[in-house]
């Protein structure tokens, strides 16, 4: 592990200053538990100022919501402890479910409200009349911490999200550009590697940064550019996948790519590698592409169709790349000029549709309800004085990690970190604090441990764990206006905290033994179900919604495939050959066929309907077998027949679009199959053989 950088140390120092300021204010105003103000600072602190602001805002709302629920529930149910425990458990599970539905910073409202209720309500069940005062005090202490964190973060060396967003865009485009060069210069196998599909996961990372732009005062004007860029990045993935396929098709069926087109692809690859934002260069490439396009009268030859399709994908790539470069420049310069004419205008973009696995989400929420309720019943049965914190920490651990594929793994780490924090807190409480007599000395003795620990919080892989270590350490210190901690109370509360996390760990080991492979299979099956319903006409999407949903699903799938890859788990081999981008291309072509078939002659329309029906049956067969079955040869023959009939009987824009969609569908489903044979009759227009 590398040492923290200077930004990490600055962030840690800022957080410590904000925490000491919050503690001082809470002590000065004689709030009952001033350490809550200090812990709040470490909860909301983030290296990005906008993230601190958004988290602070939503923590305030979540705290008020949870505290209000405590004021309502405790007096009403205090005489029925089982019902109170059940109500708290159901509240936590429902709020966790709502937080999973909203994958924006707003989700923190629901998450926090879910576990604030047990933290505030349960310790006060023996004195229900004081629950309002306690809820009010907790809210005041938390708001003090939030204000201090927000003010210090915004005033002292603020780190804005705009520059980081620009950097992340550059990294993503560099990866996509490397893939584009690999395709255009070296050629590529039609099956897209998992490493390339992982680019989809980067869209999810960008979404998180985009959601923070509205909280960054200097970057609010660039929010629309960020949204426009996101739509183009979504489309760039299937375009690159299609380019790979078309180049492979030309090399599979003949001598390969013609020299004039090959020269053009090399020039485009050099332009992409240079990263130059040159509109004239893009217009030059489009003019070259137009000059190379075959006439419409020649669109009855498979190789000609492949050339035309390749050139169409090259045009889309050039337009997309130029738009991405312009938008990156606008975002980097924080250009808020609303006037912009994009190069790509014929594709619908936007529609930030998401994929949700409602079944697993409901299971996660129900697991939290059951774990919290069982922990509460153990507390009631035992009469343990620390049982309130036992149930509360069970709820907190399940809310934090219950939605993950393997929650037991981070819970085990959480348990270890909490045990360490109890030892650290014990050292300070009984070895250091009895010798302190003023606030200045307190700051001096806390500074080394807090600043060193806080310097590791900005690291994504450690953020949650280090935050919990710092928060639990500070909470265990129970800093107040006067020293009044006794060893028995400290041990009792520490045992409740560790016991609650340990119970959550055991619960999830028992009830959730499956891991990433289950979620990965369900994601793959959801994609097949979408395609089956789209082909059958029971579910219709536009291109933008389909692209966004599928890429979002890919973003969820790729990390799980990486976790399953090489693992000795049942069914892992069935996921190894998944090509989500090829399935996205299948979806695009289904949409085109559904859109244009009504404009074709009746015999052609009936043939297209038959192809769509067989595609639907094929993906339903995959769902039934729970395996990536190979498409049947008969379907390829029927696609070839529909293509031949379309070219022979129909003319116009709809016919050409239908032919392109059939070609794309055939290539997506049968990437290794050669093109169909055709009958060359000098006295007639060439037609594809339906037996091809």
């Amino acid at each position: 592990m590398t040492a923290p950088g200077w930004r990490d140390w600055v962030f840690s120092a800022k957080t410590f200053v904000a925490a000491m300021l919050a503690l001082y204010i809470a002590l000065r105003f004689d709030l009952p538990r001033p350490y809550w103000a200090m812990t709040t600072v470490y909860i909301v602190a983030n290296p990005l100022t906008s993230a601190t602001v958004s988290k602070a805002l939503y923590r305030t709302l979540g705290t008020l919501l949870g505290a209000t629920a405590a004021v309502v529930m405790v007096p009403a149910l205090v005489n029925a402890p089982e019902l109170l425990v059940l109500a708290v458990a159901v509240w936590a599970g429902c709020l966790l479910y709502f937080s999973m539905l909203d994958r924006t910073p707003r989700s923190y409202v629901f998450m926090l409200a879910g576990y604030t209720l047990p933290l505030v309500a349960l310790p006060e069940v023996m004195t229900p009349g004081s629950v309002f005062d306690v809820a009010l005090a907790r809210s005041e202490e938390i708001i003090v911490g939030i204000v201090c964190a927000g003010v210090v973060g915004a005033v002292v060396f603020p780190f804005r999200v705009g520059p980081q967003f620009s950097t992340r865009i550059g990294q993503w485009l560099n990866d996509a550009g490397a893939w584009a060069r690999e395709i255009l210069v070296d050629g590529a196998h039609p099956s897209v590697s998992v490493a390339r599909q992982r680019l989809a996961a980067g869209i999810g990372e960008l979404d998180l940064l985009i959601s923070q732009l509205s909280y960054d005062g200097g970057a609010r004007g660039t929010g629309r550019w960020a949204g426009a860029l996101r739509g183009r990045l979504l489309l760039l993935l299937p375009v690159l996948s299609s380019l790979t396929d078309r180049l492979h098709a030309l090399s599979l069926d003949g001598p390969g790519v013609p020299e004039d087109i090959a020269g053009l692809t090399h020039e485009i690859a050099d332009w992409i590698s240079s990263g130059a934002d040159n509109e004239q260069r893009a217009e030059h490439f489009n003019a070259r592409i137009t000059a190379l396009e075959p006439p419409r009268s020649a669109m009855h030859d498979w190789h000609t169709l492949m050339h035309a399709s390749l050139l169409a994908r090259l045009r889309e790539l050039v337009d997309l790349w130029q738009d991405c470069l312009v938008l990156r420049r606008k975002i980097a310069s924080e250009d808020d000029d609303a006037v912009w004419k994009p190069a790509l205008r014929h594709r619908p973009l936007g529609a930030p549709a998401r994929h949700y696995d409602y079944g697993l989400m409901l299971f996660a929420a129900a697991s939290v309800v059951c774990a919290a309720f069982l922990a509460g019943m153990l507390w009631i049965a035992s009469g343990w004085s620390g049982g309130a914190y036992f149930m509360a920490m069970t709820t907190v651990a399940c809310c934090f990690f219950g939605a993950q594929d393997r929650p037991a793994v981070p819970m085990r780490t959480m348990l270890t970190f909490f045990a360490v924090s109890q030892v650290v807190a014990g050292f300070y409480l009984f070895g250091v604090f009895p010798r302190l007599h003023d606030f200045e000395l307190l700051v001096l003795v806390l500074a080394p441990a807090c600043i060193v620990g806080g310097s590791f919080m900005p690291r994504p892989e450690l953020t949650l764990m280090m935050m919990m270590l710092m928060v639990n350490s500070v909470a265990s210190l129970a800093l107040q206006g006067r020293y009044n901690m006794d060893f028995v109370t400290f041990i009792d509360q520490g045992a409740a905290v560790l016991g609650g996390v340990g119970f959550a760990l055991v619960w999830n080991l028992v009830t959730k033994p499956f891991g990433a492979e289950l979620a990965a299979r369900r994601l793959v099956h959801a994609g097949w179900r979408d395609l089956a319903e789209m082909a059958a006409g029971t579910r219709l999407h536009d291109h933008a919604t389909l692209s966004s949903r599928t890429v979002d699903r890919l973003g969820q799938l790729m990390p799980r495939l990486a976790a399953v890859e090489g693992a000795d788990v049942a069914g892992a081999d069935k996921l190894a050959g998944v090509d989500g981008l090829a399935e996205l291309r299948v979806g695009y072509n289904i949409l085109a066929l559904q859109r244009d078939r009504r404009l074709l002659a009746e015999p052609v329309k009936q043939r297209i309907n038959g192809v769509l029906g067989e595609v639907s049956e094929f993906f339903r067969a995959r769902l039934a077998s729970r395996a990536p079955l190979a498409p049947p040869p008969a379907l390829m023959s029927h696609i070839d027949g529909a293509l031949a009939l379309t070219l022979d009987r129909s003319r116009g824009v709809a016919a050409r679009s239908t032919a392109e969609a059939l070609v794309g569908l055939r290539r997506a489903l049968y990437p290794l199959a050669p093109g169909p044979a055709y009958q060359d009759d000098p006295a007639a227009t060439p037609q594809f053989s339906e037996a091809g």
Side-chain angles (χ1 to χ4, degrees):
M1 181 184 296
T2 58
W6 70 268
R7 287 178 177 269
D8 301 331
W9 289 111
V10 170
F11 162 75
S12 184
K14 286 169 52 180
T15 305
F16 180 70
V17 169
M20 292 298 99
L21 177 61
L23 179 62
Y24 177 80
I25 293 173
L27 289 170
R28 188 66 181 266
F29 284 90
D30 199 26
L31 297 179
R33 294 188 182 179
Y35 60 88
W36 275 64
M38 185 178 174
T39 59
T40 298
V41 172
Y42 279 97
I43 290 174
V44 303
N46 190 286
L48 297 176
T49 303
S50 59
T52 301
V53 172
S54 66
K55 199 172 183 182
L57 171 63
Y58 293 128
R59 179 168 176 79
T60 301
L61 296 176
T63 298
L64 294 176
L65 182 60
T68 301
V71 172
V72 172
M73 286 188 188
V74 172
L77 300 175
V78 69
N79 294 321
E82 293 83 1
L83 286 179
L84 177 61
V85 165
L86 179 61
V88 171
V90 171
W91 170 271
C94 291
L95 270 292
L96 174 64
Y97 183 81
F98 293 146
S99 74
M100 290 186 287
L101 285 175
D102 188 348
R103 282 188 269 155
T104 70
R106 287 191 303 270
S107 65
Y108 193 55
V109 173
F110 305 110
M111 171 75 77
L112 187 67
Y115 65 76
T116 293
L117 171 61
L119 286 174
V120 172
L122 297 181
E124 304 304 320
V125 293
M126 302 305 294
T127 55
S130 65
V131 67
F132 177 80
D133 294 333
V134 171
L136 179 62
R138 293 301 85 80
S139 300
E140 292 171 342
E141 291 150 2
I142 287 170
I143 290 173
V144 168
I146 287 170
V147 171
C148 291
V151 170
V152 173
V155 174
V156 182
F157 298 109
F159 294 138
R160 298 180 49 219
V161 70
Q164 181 165 335
F165 182 60
S166 298
T167 301
R168 187 66 190 90
I169 290 170
Q171 294 170 347
W172 197 95
L173 288 176
N174 287 340
D175 291 340
W179 183 19
R181 182 170 183 82
E182 175 186 319
I183 294 168
L184 297 173
V185 175
D186 304 325
H189 192 273
S191 179
V192 179
S193 67
V194 171
R196 293 309 185 194
Q197 293 183 81
R198 284 188 190 129
L199 281 169
I203 301 292
E205 297 173 12
L206 291 176
D207 282 345
L208 292 176
L209 292 174
I210 291 173
S211 68
Q212 298 292 350
L213 287 174
S214 60
Y215 302 97
D216 190 332
R220 289 175 183 171
T222 63
R224 60 178 175 276
W225 304 136
L229 178 61
R230 179 190 181 276
R232 281 155 178 81
L233 296 181
L234 284 173
L235 188 56
L236 191 59
L237 295 176
V239 167
L240 289 173
S241 176
S242 296
L243 268 176
T244 304
D245 176 78
R246 300 304 185 267
L247 289 168
H248 178 265
L250 289 172
S251 64
L252 185 68
D253 294 332
V257 182
E259 291 185 8
D260 48 2
I261 298 181
L264 176 61
T265 60
H266 281 69
E267 289 184 41
I268 294 174
D270 292 338
W271 171 61
I272 289 175
S273 298
S274 70
D277 176 7
N278 191 326
E279 188 174 351
Q280 289 73 28
R281 192 74 170 149
E283 291 175 353
H284 166 72
F285 289 137
N286 280 327
R288 292 269 304 277
I289 290 170
T290 300
L292 291 171
E293 286 178 342
R296 294 192 178 187
S297 59
M299 290 294 188
H300 289 255
D301 174 85
W302 176 259
H303 293 286
T304 305
L305 286 169
M306 286 295 100
H307 291 161
S309 182
L310 172 61
L311 291 169
R313 301 293 83 75
L314 282 174
R315 185 187 299 277
E316 285 188 331
L317 175 62
V318 169
D319 290 344
L320 278 170
W321 197 260
Q322 177 59 26
D323 281 351
C324 288
L325 294 178
V326 171
L327 289 168
R328 182 178 67 174
R329 171 169 50 80
K330 285 180 171 292
I331 292 170
S333 63
E334 297 181 353
D335 180 6
D336 58 356
D337 184 3
V339 179
W340 175 57
K341 184 179 180 181
L344 185 77
R345 296 186 293 274
H346 71 284
R347 287 272 199 177
L349 300 168
R354 308 291 189 193
H355 170 78
Y356 296 99
D357 190 330
Y358 296 104
L360 285 183
M361 289 164 58
L362 284 171
F363 179 84
S367 179
V368 171
V369 173
C370 294
F373 179 71
L374 184 57
M377 296 306 292
L378 290 175
W379 166 35
I380 293 173
S382 66
W384 180 16
S385 59
Y389 289 104
F390 172 78
M391 178 184 175
M393 291 310 300
T394 298
T395 308
V396 169
C398 288
C399 284
F400 263 111
F401 304 113
Q404 296 189 13
D405 295 332
R406 291 189 179 276
V409 176
M411 284 180 183
R412 190 179 291 114
T413 306
M414 180 182 182
L415 183 61
T416 302
F417 275 49
F418 272 24
V420 172
S421 69
Q422 289 297 123
V423 174
V424 173
F427 168 74
Y428 274 97
L429 276 172
F430 303 106
V432 177
F433 285 176
R435 297 172 173 80
L436 302 180
H437 302 288
D438 54 49
F439 186 77
E440 290 77 7
L441 282 177
L442 176 66
V443 173
L444 286 176
V445 299
L446 288 178
C450 289
I451 292 177
V452 171
S455 66
F456 290 94
M457 286 177 61
R459 302 192 178 192
E461 69 276 13
L462 297 176
T463 296
L464 186 57
M465 294 306 169
M466 290 307 300
M467 184 267 287
M468 287 189 171
L469 174 63
M470 298 301 297
V471 168
N472 192 62
S473 298
V474 171
S476 299
L477 293 176
L479 294 170
Q480 300 189 51
R482 60 184 59 85
Y483 182 82
N484 61 355
M485 177 59 70
D486 67 90
F487 188 74
V488 174
T489 301
F490 174 76
I491 293 298
D492 187 58
Q493 292 182 354
V497 169
L498 296 179
V501 178
F503 181 79
L505 170 62
V506 172
W507 172 264
N508 281 276
L509 285 172
V510 173
T511 62
K512 208 169 184 181
F514 47 83
E517 66 278 1
L518 174 64
R521 284 200 303 270
R522 289 177 63 86
L523 285 166
V524 171
H525 297 163
W528 295 345
R529 187 176 299 107
D530 268 3
L531 292 174
E533 293 175 354
M534 287 166 56
T538 58
R539 171 176 291 186
L540 296 179
H541 292 305
D542 56 45
H543 282 76
T545 301
L546 171 67
S547 179
S548 188
R549 272 176 58 88
T550 305
V551 173
D552 180 62
R553 193 156 45 223
L554 274 177
Q556 298 179 52
L557 178 61
M558 289 305 106
R560 293 178 167 102
L561 287 183
V564 172
E565 189 175 4
D568 185 18
V569 294
D573 55 324
K574 296 181 179 180
L575 300 172
V578 171
D579 186 349
L581 294 178
E583 292 182 1
L584 176 56
R585 286 159 36 214
V586 170
Y588 278 165
N589 293 307
I590 289 174
L591 287 178
L593 293 175
Q594 291 282 18
R595 179 193 64 209
D596 297 327
R597 63 189 174 90
R598 298 177 180 84
L599 304 176
L600 303 175
E602 191 62 28
V604 181
K605 177 182 176 181
Q606 293 302 321
R607 188 67 66 91
I608 299 298
N609 290 343
V611 168
L612 289 172
E614 290 187 60
V615 170
S616 178
E617 291 176 6
F618 162 60
F619 282 105
R620 292 190 189 281
R622 278 189 169 184
L623 278 172
S625 65
R626 303 294 179 182
L629 302 175
L635 175 56
M636 183 172 67
S637 177
H638 293 155
I639 292 174
D640 292 344
L643 179 59
L645 193 62
T646 301
L647 295 172
D648 184 48
R649 300 285 185 90
S650 300
R651 296 291 182 271
V653 175
R656 181 172 182 178
S657 175
T658 298
E660 290 178 352
L662 289 169
V663 169
L665 184 63
R666 188 186 195 276
R667 288 298 309 158
L669 293 175
Y670 303 93
L672 300 179
Y678 66 92
Q679 301 166 349
D680 192 3
D681 181 358
T685 302
Q687 296 180 6
F688 292 110
S689 169
E690 296 191 19

